[in-house]
Amino acid sequence: MTSGLGAASTNANITYQEGGSANLGAVTITANATNPGSLSVTSTGGSIFQGAGTITVPTIAGGTNTVSFSAPNGSVTLDLAGNTIAPAVALTASGNSTVRQSTAQNLILGNVAVTAGTFNATVNTAAIELAQAAGTTVRVFGDTTLNTGGKITLDNVGNNFGGLTIASNVGPAGGAAVVLREGGTINLKAVDTGTALTSTLKLTSEGGSIVSSSTALLAKAIKAGGPTTLVSAADVTLNTTDVANNFGGQSITVTAPGTVSIQDNNATTVIA
């Protein structure tokens, strides 16, 4: 069964719980100094999705408002153009889930746990950052896809992304710095940070290797316009069988106790 949260506009907190799937209408919280306004949506037996209307939750200086979506038996799909969510977005789901920020507002992730599906975080506006709140983790059972026209900074201890696709080349900015930290092995599906020298890439694997797919049907190019830094607890293996990586002719700095094997389409300096 699917029920909905109709259009709502308030400067108070909104807490909504649904036994089946939750269909969200337009939700607008107007923050003020007395009540910064938090949003909590829970589906105990289904999914959470947007039917019509966007979600707008601002924050104010010193504000402590929060935004959370929980669907432990389903997915969370917040994919409408125009969402503007200023506080960190916490998300719990078992199915494929999406969060999209389409206006000039950084997308900050809180604790994200997708236990049996994929996760897609997208910021459509150029030069807007995708980041995570201090002390939080992103943990995804399936693949993680990150799309933005600005920086990507997911550098907290304990992240686990599954298979990882990164695109930081949306819009005229042409890409920006990407910094990612993973608790286990970083399994790269595709990376494109743009062609600018400022499009740097730093990947840290705390408990495993940094690898890309070696299967011809799965392998995609890894492209970085600026210098690349790879910190691995084991090996670094960035070889693809059907496409050529392109590190922009810039340096690749590698710290790893194990074997290092990197394929590149340009002249490259590797510093072990």
Side-chain angles (χ1 to χ4, degrees), residues 213-220 240-243:
S213 176
S214 60
T215 303
L217 292 177
L218 297 179
K220 303 295 181 182
T240 55
T241 58
D242 64 338
V243 291

Side-chain angles (χ1 to χ4, degrees), residues 9-13 28-38 56-66 86-87:
S9 180
T10 180
N11 63 1
N13 298 331
T28 300
I29 292 180
T30 305
N32 59 49
T34 303
N35 188 341
S38 295
T56 301
V57 185
T59 190
I60 59 175
T64 58
N65 54 334
T66 60

Side-chain angles (χ1 to χ4, degrees), residues 19-82:
S21 291
N23 181 357
L24 303 181
V27 177
T28 300
I29 292 180
T30 305
N32 59 49
T34 303
N35 188 341
S38 295
L39 174 64
S40 173
V41 180
T42 300
S43 169
T44 58
S47 297
I48 298 170
F49 60 94
Q50 291 181 274
T54 59
I55 298 172
T56 301
V57 185
T59 190
I60 59 175
T64 58
N65 54 334
T66 60
V67 173
S68 64
F69 301 91
S70 178
N73 295 298
S75 60
V76 176
T77 305
L78 309 176
D79 199 30
L80 291 187

Side-chain angles (χ1 to χ4, degrees), residues 24 44 54-55 60 62 83 86 106 126 147 159 164 167 226 238 247:
L24 303 181
T44 58
T54 59
I55 298 172
I60 59 175
N83 288 334
N106 294 336
N147 295 288
N159 291 331
L164 188 57
L238 302 182
F247 292 93

Side-chain angles (χ1 to χ4, degrees), residues 54-219:
T54 59
I55 298 172
T56 301
V57 185
T59 190
I60 59 175
T64 58
N65 54 334
T66 60
V67 173
S68 64
F69 301 91
S70 178
N73 295 298
S75 60
V76 176
T77 305
L78 309 176
D79 199 30
L80 291 187
N83 288 334
T84 306
I85 307 174
V89 179
L91 183 150
T92 301
S94 60
N96 299 343
S97 295
T98 299
V99 177
R100 182 182 298 273
Q101 190 94 289
S102 300
T103 55
Q105 175 67 58
N106 294 336
L107 176 56
I108 310 300
L109 301 177
N111 284 313
V112 174
V114 181
T115 58
T118 62
F119 178 63
N120 185 311
T122 298
V123 181
N124 286 349
T125 307
I128 299 300
E129 183 176 3
L130 171 61
Q132 65 185 144
T136 64
T137 60
V138 177
R139 302 185 66 82
V140 181
F141 175 84
D143 292 343
T144 299
T145 301
L146 308 172
N147 295 288
T148 180
K151 296 192 298 182
I152 298 176
T153 308
L154 301 179
D155 196 35
N156 289 354
V157 173
N159 291 331
N160 192 317
F161 299 106
L164 188 57
T165 298
I166 304 167
S168 182
N169 62 343
V170 181
V178 174
V179 180
L180 290 166
R181 182 179 299 270
E182 158 80 41
T185 291
I186 297 179
N187 181 11
L188 299 175
K189 297 296 184 72
V191 177
D192 190 348
T193 69
T195 58
L197 290 178
T198 55
S199 303
T200 58
L201 176 65
K202 181 179 180 181
L203 303 175
T204 301
S205 171
E206 298 172 333
S209 299
I210 300 176
V211 302
S212 60
S213 176
S214 60
T215 303
L217 292 177
L218 297 179

